[in-house]
Amino acid sequence: MSRGLLSIMAAILLLFSTFSMASEEAPKGASNTAQKEMVQLAGADYWRAVKGGVEGTTTSRSAEHGVLISTPGETWYILKEKWMSPAGAVAIFGSIFMVVAFYLIVGPLKLSKARTGRTMTRWTRWDRALHWSMAFTFLTLAFSGLMLVYGKHFLKPYVPTDLWGFVIWLAKQYHNYVGPLFGILVVLVLLKWWRKSIFRKVDFQWFMKLGGMVGKHKGSHPSAEFSNGGEKALFWLLVVFGAIAAASGLVLDFPIFDQTRRDMELANLVHGISALILICGFVFHIYIGLFGMEGALEGMVTGEVDETWAKEHHDLWYEEMKAKEANGELDSAQNAKQDDVKGATANEQTS
């Protein structure tokens, strides 16, 4: 009797607990489902607002501190990655292709007459130091900048991850810290050579004859002052676009003066375009200095140019220097050098 009663009571309790658990689990499961749906719905609304540029609340004091995602940045990304990067590669390789084709088809510009062995001082030590400092700084900045833009395409897939990380870190640090030095050098170049780079009528005549490098005017050596029309054009290209590149680079280097993301994106695009123009321009400059004109590199290496070279490429400057020499207006060091050269030439002729 007692065992039967206990069994019946146990069965009743078990049945009651089962129904009780089932009744509790159903609302709990329904509650979890509803809660997930609410979270998902709230999350979608939240991220939709964030992506739409809706401002939130933060303790940051920086510009645009309340905007987590800036949707206009998509336009900057498309311009940079889909247009500028491919166009920049085409422009750079196109410039290189052009100078190679020019060299193969037209060839270098040679001197029309034999060298005299007498030289004239064209560049001082200060001139050469400034030129080569600018050349080294520009070329290394160009290389590091191109690494930052194109390195992920031509280097990253082929090197270990750690090496790639170090290379791109080094390129970034070098570009950021040496960039301001380039701006200082641009100012020094402007102060040093702006007077010799003012365009005059003779420069337009030089352009009309294409510098005597191609066509029916090849080898004609059109008249030029200390700087010819091409050198003056390159000078102002360096000054104008170098200043733009330096200024936009400073905006990117020091984002601590309340620059907005729009300011940074615009500075990035301007910096890239100006740097690209400089790179393409200096491809031609390097070609002329190394391969395109006989005797051009010698002057910037030693500071001296042969009189034949001076007379053919910068005849107005040559005449001006000869007039000063005849009037005794050259400094003592220049006169001493000229005397040494003349003495050496006379000894050679005697022997």
Side-chain angles (χ1 to χ4, degrees):
M1 181 77 181
S2 299
R3 288 182 178 179
L5 182 61
L6 288 174
S7 299
I8 293 171
M9 292 178 64
I12 293 172
L13 289 173
L14 179 61
L15 182 62
F16 178 78
S17 63
T18 302
F19 279 110
S20 177
M21 291 175 63
S23 62
E24 290 179 358
E25 286 178 359
K28 185 176 180 181
S31 175
N32 287 340
T33 302
Q35 185 176 3
K36 289 178 180 179
E37 290 177 354
M38 292 175 62
V39 169
Q40 290 174 356
L41 183 61
D45 288 340
Y46 174 78
W47 286 109
R48 191 175 296 112
V50 168
K51 291 180 180 179
V54 176
E55 291 195 25
T57 303
T58 178
T59 57
S60 171
R61 297 176 180 271
S62 63
E64 298 180 307
H65 60 268
V67 180
L68 186 59
I69 295 179
S70 178
T71 53
E74 291 290 331
T75 303
W76 163 78
Y77 177 80
I78 292 173
L79 287 174
K80 177 176 176 291
E81 294 295 326
K82 306 300 182 182
W83 291 96
M84 278 190 57
S85 293
V90 170
I92 294 171
F93 284 106
S95 299
I96 296 173
F97 174 80
M98 286 178 64
V99 297
V100 171
F102 191 88
Y103 181 82
L104 295 176
I105 297 173
V106 179
L109 186 61
K110 298 288 187 179
L111 294 175
S112 302
K113 300 179 180 179
R115 297 175 182 244
T116 64
R118 299 184 299 273
T119 61
M120 303 173 62
T121 299
R122 180 165 173 80
W123 305 105
T124 65
R125 288 184 179 180
W126 163 239
D127 293 330
R128 285 175 283 151
L130 182 56
H131 172 273
W132 291 115
S133 296
M134 171 60 76
F136 175 82
T137 303
F138 174 78
L139 289 175
T140 53
L141 284 173
F143 180 79
S144 59
L146 292 175
M147 179 63 68
L148 293 172
V149 177
Y150 299 107
K152 59 180 176 286
H153 301 298
F154 68 84
L155 182 62
K156 182 180 179 181
Y158 309 107
V159 298
T161 302
D162 291 341
L163 177 59
W164 162 249
F166 174 75
V167 169
I168 206 67
W169 173 86
L170 185 63
K172 181 178 181 295
Q173 297 302 315
Y174 184 89
H175 206 82
N176 288 346
Y177 284 99
V178 178
L181 175 60
F182 173 77
I184 295 173
L185 290 173
V186 169
V187 174
L188 294 178
V189 167
L190 174 63
L191 296 176
K192 186 70 176 66
W193 290 311
W194 74 269
R195 289 185 180 86
K196 296 178 179 179
S197 301
I198 298 174
F199 285 104
R200 305 184 190 280
K201 181 179 179 180
V202 66
D203 299 310
F204 296 100
Q205 294 172 347
W206 186 93
F207 283 118
M208 291 295 292
K209 294 183 178 180
L210 301 176
M213 291 183 287
V214 294
K216 64 180 181 179
H217 299 293
K218 183 179 181 182
S220 61
H221 303 295
S223 293
E225 301 176 311
F226 180 88
S227 298
N228 60 42
E231 290 169 331
K232 291 179 180 181
L234 184 66
F235 171 85
W236 291 113
L237 182 141
L238 170 63
V239 169
V240 174
F241 289 100
I244 294 173
S248 56
L250 291 176
V251 174
L252 298 170
D253 257 350
F254 301 100
I256 55 175
F257 299 105
D258 294 330
Q259 295 102 314
T260 64
R261 273 172 275 198
R262 299 290 80 73
D263 299 328
M264 299 290 283
E265 290 161 3
L266 179 61
N268 178 267
L269 294 175
V270 170
H271 188 76
I273 293 172
S274 57
L276 177 62
I277 293 173
L278 288 173
I279 291 172
C280 292
F282 273 84
V283 167
F284 293 94
H285 174 65
I286 293 170
Y287 163 73
I288 292 296
L290 294 180
F291 311 106
M293 180 182 292
E294 180 185 356
L297 182 62
E298 298 173 15
M300 192 52 74
V301 172
T302 65
E304 307 291 323
V305 295
D306 191 88
E307 285 191 358
T308 298
W309 187 93
K311 186 185 300 184
E312 292 191 357
H313 294 298
H314 300 273
D315 57 331
L316 300 181
W317 170 70
Y318 170 81
E319 293 169 2
E320 177 187 357
M321 295 302 293
K322 283 299 180 181
K324 288 183 177 181
E325 180 183 348
N327 296 331
E329 297 179 18
L330 296 178
D331 57 40
S332 57
Q334 175 75 352
N335 283 324
K337 183 192 75 65
Q338 296 286 359
D339 292 340
D340 291 341
V341 171
K342 291 178 180 178
T345 303
N347 291 334
E348 291 176 1
Q349 293 175 349
T350 303
S351 60

